[in-house]
Amino acid sequence: MTSGFLLLSQGTPEWLPELEEQIFRDHDCAVVQLTNVRRGQHHGLEVLVGEVECEDGRSFDIFRRGDDDFRIARSPEKPAGRSRSQRE
């Protein structure tokens, strides 16, 4: 699998606009950061996993197999700390 930092350093991933639209529509999340993005193959289909941080500090885990819609699940609460919006 490719690390998120390598993937993102190659420019904007082609799937990012689709993810941004879906997560905004389904969870009212404006994406500010992608982390732990990994790509691989499973039974001949590309698999993509990672984490999304929203403008309001929420986090979601993402999963996509092939060209299916993203599966988006709320990440478990992180240790006490301030969200991005609280830091600014």
Side-chain angles (χ1 to χ4, degrees):
M1 292 202 154
T2 305
S3 79
F5 296 110
L6 291 175
L7 174 67
L8 297 178
S9 69
Q10 297 170 0
T12 302
E14 70 282 353
W15 46 264
L16 183 58
E18 187 177 346
L19 170 62
E20 289 176 322
E21 181 181 322
Q22 183 181 338
I23 200 167
F24 185 78
R25 179 187 66 234
D26 296 347
H27 299 281
D28 197 27
C29 167
V31 176
V32 293
Q33 183 172 314
L34 295 170
T35 57
N36 300 318
V37 176
R38 294 180 210 84
R39 295 170 75 168
Q41 293 285 319
H42 186 260
H43 295 289
L45 292 174
E46 181 178 66
V47 174
L48 174 72
V49 296
E51 297 174 23
V52 172
E53 183 179 330
C54 306
E55 189 173 61
D56 62 8
R58 291 177 297 152
S59 318
F60 291 89
D61 295 323
I62 60 168
F63 172 85
R64 185 182 201 187
R65 184 171 171 214
D67 290 330
D68 293 345
D69 284 346
F70 285 91
R71 291 188 206 169
I72 302 169
R74 184 80 188 260
S75 296
E77 291 299 319
K78 303 212 179 203
R82 297 182 310 177
S83 72
R84 170 176 254 227
S85 60
Q86 293 171 321
R87 290 189 302 257
E88 297 174 351

